[in-house]
Amino acid sequence: MVADALVYHPTVAHYLRFVATTVGRDKLLRTLQYFSRFYAWYLYRTNNPERIIAPFEAIKKQFGLTRKCLRIGKNVEHFKAAATAFDNTTMDPILKYCAVGRQLGYAMYLSLDTVTYLDASGIRPMASAKRLQREAYKAWFTGLIFNTLSGLYILWQLRQREQTINKKDGEGVVESKKIQRERNSTNIQLISDLCDLTVPGAALGYANLDDGIVGLAGTLSSLIGIWGAWKKTA
C-alpha cells in the first residue's frame, strides 16, 4: 500500500513529465555542473587533496560536454524565433529589436557551440576551437545583454502603467495585481540573466571573477530554470 501510494503520487507523475523534457534534464545537469564548479573551487581553496577535488572536476567537465551534445540543433529554434519577432508588426519596437538581438545572439552561440563540440568530444580536433568558443561566448553575452535591456524596459513600462491605475477601483485592483505578477516574473528573469552574464563575462575577461562566484551564479540561474520548467510541466 505504501509503495502504491508513492508510485501513484501526483508528484511522481509531475517529476516524470519534467524529466521527459529536454529542458528539464538540461537544467538538472546544469545545476550539478555549476555547483561542482563552485565546490571544486571551494575544495581547492581549503587545501583538500586532488583525489577529493577530482570527482567534482570530472562532473563539471563531463556534464558540460553532455549539455553541449543536447544543445545540438537548438540554434534553429532561435533563428526561427528571431525571424518571428522581426516580422511582428504589433510588438513594441524596443522589445521587438531586443527580442531579435537576443534570439540571434543565442542562435549564433549555439551554432558555434555545436562546432566546438566536435573538438571537445575528440571527434574532430580543431586548432581554431578556442577562438570559436570565444566567439560563441561573445554571442551568448550579446544575447543576454539584449534580454537584460528588455527586462529593464519592461519594468519601466510596468511602473508607467501602475501610475495610471486607480487602486480604489475594482478593475484597478485587478490590474495592479496583474502588474505585480508581471513585475515578479521579470525580476526573476533579470536575476537569472545577471547570473548567467558572469559565465561569458568571466570567460572573455570582461570581469575578474573566480570559479567560486561563477559556479554559485550558474547554480542560482539553473535553479531558477528548474523552477520555471517545473511550473510549465505542472
Side-chain angles (χ1 to χ4, degrees):
M1 295 297 291
V2 175
D4 285 346
L6 289 173
V7 169
Y8 293 106
H9 195 279
T11 303
V12 175
H14 188 176
Y15 166 77
L16 292 174
R17 290 194 300 273
F18 173 75
V19 295
T21 65
T22 303
V23 172
R25 294 193 300 273
D26 176 71
K27 296 304 180 185
L28 286 173
L29 290 174
R30 192 178 194 270
T31 302
L32 294 172
Q33 176 194 352
Y34 279 99
F35 179 77
S36 295
R37 182 171 181 170
F38 159 74
Y39 199 56
W41 170 87
Y42 171 78
L43 291 173
Y44 175 78
R45 290 294 298 270
T46 51
N47 298 316
N48 282 272
E50 182 62 29
R51 62 182 177 80
I52 301 296
I53 302 173
F56 296 98
E57 287 287 354
I59 290 173
K60 178 182 74 173
K61 180 180 179 181
Q62 295 302 324
F63 282 18
L65 189 60
T66 300
R67 292 183 58 242
K68 261 185 187 287
C69 183
L70 290 174
R71 291 195 295 266
I72 292 175
K74 193 171 172 60
N75 57 334
V76 177
E77 173 188 334
H78 291 283
F79 278 124
K80 183 179 185 299
T84 301
F86 184 78
D87 291 337
N88 192 325
T89 57
T90 60
M91 187 183 295
D92 181 289
I94 293 177
L95 292 179
K96 174 179 177 176
Y97 289 111
C98 280
V100 172
R102 176 180 72 248
Q103 297 298 346
L104 286 177
Y106 292 166
M108 288 305 301
Y109 163 65
L110 292 168
S111 298
L112 293 167
D113 192 59
T114 297
V115 177
T116 61
Y117 173 77
L118 299 174
D119 177 82
S121 61
I123 295 173
R124 184 177 180 180
M126 294 179 293
S128 59
K130 287 186 177 180
R131 179 179 61 81
L132 290 174
Q133 187 62 64
R134 185 173 177 81
E135 294 302 317
Y137 279 133
K138 287 180 181 178
W140 185 19
F141 189 86
T142 301
L144 287 170
I145 288 294
F146 273 112
N147 209 34
T148 301
L149 291 174
S150 176
L152 292 173
Y153 180 69
I154 289 171
L155 289 177
W156 178 81
Q157 282 187 318
L158 292 174
R159 188 159 55 247
Q160 297 301 308
R161 278 172 55 193
E162 195 171 38
Q163 291 175 357
T164 64
I165 293 175
N166 180 8
K167 295 184 179 180
K168 295 180 180 180
D169 180 66
E171 290 184 5
V173 172
V174 172
E175 182 66 15
S176 179
K177 290 181 179 179
K178 181 181 177 182
I179 289 174
Q180 188 57 47
R181 285 195 299 270
E182 290 181 32
R183 181 181 288 119
N184 290 341
S185 176
T186 303
N187 281 332
I188 289 170
Q189 185 59 52
L190 267 175
I191 292 170
S192 179
D193 290 336
L194 291 172
C195 286
D196 282 342
L197 277 168
T198 64
V199 183
L204 293 167
Y206 295 162
N208 185 22
L209 303 174
D210 57 36
D211 272 6
I213 293 174
V214 175
L216 281 177
T219 301
L220 177 57
S221 68
S222 300
L223 289 172
I224 290 173
I226 286 177
W227 178 66
W230 181 264
K231 287 200 304 179
K232 286 181 180 178
T233 54

